[in-house]
Amino acid sequence: DAMVIQNPRYQVTQFGKPVTLSCSQTLNHNVMYWYQQKSSQAPKLLFHYYDKDFNNEADTPDNFQSRRPNTSFCFLDIRSPGLGDAAMYLCATSRGGPETQYFGPGTRLLVL
Amino acid sequence: DQQVKQNSPSLSVQEGRISILNCDYTNSMFDYFLWYKKYPAEGPTFLISISSIKDKNEDGRFTVFLNKSAKHLSLHIVPSQPGDSAVYFCAATDSGAGSYQLTFGKGTKLSVIP
């Protein structure tokens, strides 16, 4: 089945210790997104890639970076996680435009 | 400033009855709207969408109504089933902006009581 896969599902890191979250897709979609969702909040878009073209949201902290080495994979790097970065991180894909976005199961990040 | 609002954090409905989930938006440029359903420990899954050129879209037990003048949309589930118990997110986008951003509401937790 074509899908969006996120690894790991749960990640525990220490305050200030860099962490990388992974997303892969078998849908061959052009666009990949990273969202942050905190408890009882709406998912908040951090950035997205259209093919290799990176688009950062204006209010995404510099602490958050992303890499997309190929169509299938996209990584979220948090350079120095703070306690406030504990959240669910959702990866999504779409063909582009006002298309339906397909979400992965998410990675829950805990910062100690 | 929340551009997409789901004012009811939770809703309980008896099995077999109608569930109505509401969503309001403030950005008049939004012209494409989606509903997503989310189970615990899973990512959101697409449910149904509607373009602003329509005022209604149906898919089986799910119907979305759009009232552009009121900047309001609603999702109707008839009949409600226990498996429908989940968090429902309303999302909106401006398809003409060249952006791919979906703006989400905070979600409504639906509980369908057997």
Side-chain angles (χ1 to χ4, degrees):
Chain A
D1 282 345
M3 57 198 316
V4 182
I5 302 161
Q6 290 189 246
N7 287 305
R9 295 293 306 275
Y10 299 92
Q11 176 74 57
V12 181
T13 190
Q14 290 180 327
F15 183 93
K17 184 174 180 182
V19 65
T20 295
L21 309 182
S22 168
C23 177
S24 64
Q25 55 135 340
T26 61
L27 297 159
N28 204 33
H29 282 169
N30 298 102
V31 193
M32 294 187 78
Y33 311 77
W34 279 104
Y35 288 87
Q36 179 193 64
Q37 186 183 19
K38 297 187 177 180
S39 180
S40 302
Q41 297 294 313
K44 178 181 177 300
L45 183 66
L46 296 173
F47 26 58
H48 72 273
Y49 274 95
Y50 191 108
D51 293 329
K52 294 184 179 180
D53 185 21
F54 177 71
N55 296 273
N56 199 32
E57 293 302 305
D59 56 355
T60 298
D62 293 340
N63 199 22
F64 291 84
Q65 304 286 322
S66 185
R67 296 170 282 136
R68 189 178 185 186
N70 54 52
T71 301
S72 302
F73 284 88
C74 195
F75 301 98
L76 170 61
D77 300 307
I78 309 176
R79 292 192 295 190
S80 182
L83 298 178
D85 296 328
M88 174 73 83
Y89 290 88
L90 295 163
C91 174
T93 74
S94 76
R95 284 187 289 266
E99 293 274 347
T100 302
Q101 292 183 18
Y102 296 86
F103 284 82
T107 295
R108 182 162 294 282
L109 178 68
L110 181 62
V111 181
L112 301 177
Chain B
D1 180 33
Q2 260 192 287
Q3 296 187 67
V4 177
K5 298 180 184 178
Q6 294 177 258
N7 291 319
S8 298
S10 62
L11 175 69
S12 288
V13 171
Q14 207 73 31
E15 181 179 3
R17 307 292 289 265
I18 184 171
S19 295
I20 300 176
L21 296 96
N22 292 304
C23 178
D24 297 291
Y25 61 96
T26 57
N27 188 338
S28 58
M29 298 303 294
F30 287 152
D31 60 355
Y32 193 77
F33 305 89
L34 307 92
W35 284 93
Y36 282 82
K37 176 168 130 175
K38 185 180 183 304
Y39 292 119
E42 293 184 15
T45 55
F46 170 73
L47 195 57
I48 192 169
S49 63
I50 188 167
S51 165
S52 61
I53 62 173
K54 293 185 172 182
D55 53 19
K56 178 182 173 182
N57 189 27
E58 266 182 278
D59 184 1
R61 295 186 297 114
F62 302 91
T63 303
V64 56
F65 294 93
L66 175 63
N67 182 334
K68 289 189 292 291
S69 60
K71 294 193 180 67
H72 177 83
L73 62 155
S74 60
L75 174 68
H76 293 212
I77 307 173
V78 184
S80 301
Q81 299 173 354
D84 296 329
S85 298
V87 178
Y88 289 79
F89 289 96
C90 172
T93 189
D94 172 6
S95 64
S99 163
Y100 305 94
Q101 180 175 354
L102 287 181
T103 301
F104 284 87
K106 290 186 177 183
T108 296
K109 183 177 181 180
L110 174 65
S111 300
V112 179
I113 304 160

